[in-house]
Amino acid sequence: MKVSTVDIEKTAMLLKLLGDKTRLTMVKILDSHDCCVCEFVEIFKMSQPAISQHVRKLKNVGIVGETRRGQWVIYSLNKQSEYYPLIQDLLEHLPNQDDKLQELEEQGLRISCE
Amino acid sequence: MKVSTVDIEKTAMLLKLLGDKTRLTMVKILDSHDCCVCEFVEIFKMSQPAISQHVRKLKNVGIVGETRRGQWVIYSLNKQSEYYPLIQDLLEHLPNQDDKLQELEEQGLRISCE
DNA sequence: CGCTTATATAATAATACACTTATATATTGA
DNA sequence: TCAATATATAAGTGTATTATTATATAAGCG
């Protein structure tokens, strides 16, 4: 079966972007749940600026989009991205990360994001 | 359908490794043809040590193996690697690179590798 | 409006990366 | 055994990356 192909240079750029444990996990999580920065801060036990900077990189190549909801900015995977078919195939090889959000839920730290 | 999953940390490491235009192209080429260093030097118009260093990185994580054939060292994709299922899915999204080897062939620079 | 919370941005410092040049090793063949 | 070819390794260098700290912006609320 035929699969959408992406230029090798752009693909290398994408893989480098996803070649970071934090960003890769973010994308895996975002594939099933939208999230805001403060949730990622909790999940990754990382400073807020560090998280913002990772998110920005994902936004810059268009694989993540944002919506403001009150004081929060909700991030989501952009499933219209030219890269999404590849990302989707990639993510299938990763173990589910739902436990991370569940932990937040139990601590009452989950935001209204859905 | 169920797909083999790899630890998220190891996957990030793999993606970082493949997040380089040269290495990604190497892997795409190796998926259909074994090659030696001197061929890569021609294809990428890059110094021999630079090529050797890229190949070494691919070897170090076990996705590429080597066989000596005379004075040449022939590199091939290790299809037994735990990463291969993921790599295979990835490569499907890349355009064919056969033109690069064909060019070598025409210049009579293709080695006995098959 | 001023305080709090959420997020972004800028400057900086430590580390990692991908080349280069120089040199070493291994195989072939005269 | 010596020269040529193929490859590997080491050291050095410029650039990229990822974190930190400090500060700016933006929305919500008393």
Side-chain angles (χ1 to χ4, degrees), chain B:
Chain B
M1 91 217 98
K2 193 65 178 122
V3 165
S4 75
T5 74
V6 181
D7 180 67
I8 218 162
E9 197 145 353
K10 287 166 104 178
T11 305
M13 176 279 293
L14 177 72
L15 296 184
K16 179 186 286 184
L17 190 73
L18 298 181
D20 174 277
K21 189 188 184 248
T22 304
R23 287 190 297 262
L24 185 59
T25 310
M26 279 180 175
V27 169
K28 178 70 181 179
I29 292 174
L30 288 175
D31 194 41
S32 41
H33 312 272
D34 296 354
C35 276
C36 61
V37 166
C38 61
E39 291 173 313
F40 283 142
V41 168
E42 278 304 317
I43 290 171
F44 296 106
K45 309 289 181 212
M46 210 175 262
S47 76
Q48 175 268 313
I51 295 293
S52 274
Q53 282 162 31
H54 282 302
V55 167
R56 178 168 49 179
K57 290 190 178 193
L58 298 174
K59 243 173 44 188
N60 282 345
V61 301
I63 67 182
V64 154
E66 64 177 82
T67 326
R68 184 171 273 279
R69 179 134 76 200
Q71 50 188 158
W72 296 284
V73 178
I74 311 296
Y75 290 97
S76 55
L77 259 202
N78 172 13
K79 303 195 174 179
Q80 258 63 56
S81 159
E82 64 173 320
Y83 300 112
Y84 187 65
L86 170 48
I87 292 175
Q88 205 169 16
D89 276 1
L90 264 177
L91 294 184
E92 280 202 17
H93 292 268
L94 293 180
N96 193 288
Q97 300 295 307
D98 284 354
D99 53 322
K100 299 217 168 42
L101 280 177
Q102 220 161 318
E103 225 176 284
L104 282 198
E105 202 104 46
E106 282 159 19
Q107 301 175 256
L109 293 171
R110 188 92 167 84
I111 305 303
S112 57
C113 334
E114 207 284 289

Side-chain angles (χ1 to χ4, degrees), chain A residues 36 38 48-49 52 72-73 75:
Chain A
C36 61
C38 61
Q48 175 267 313
S52 274
W72 296 283
V73 179
Y75 290 96

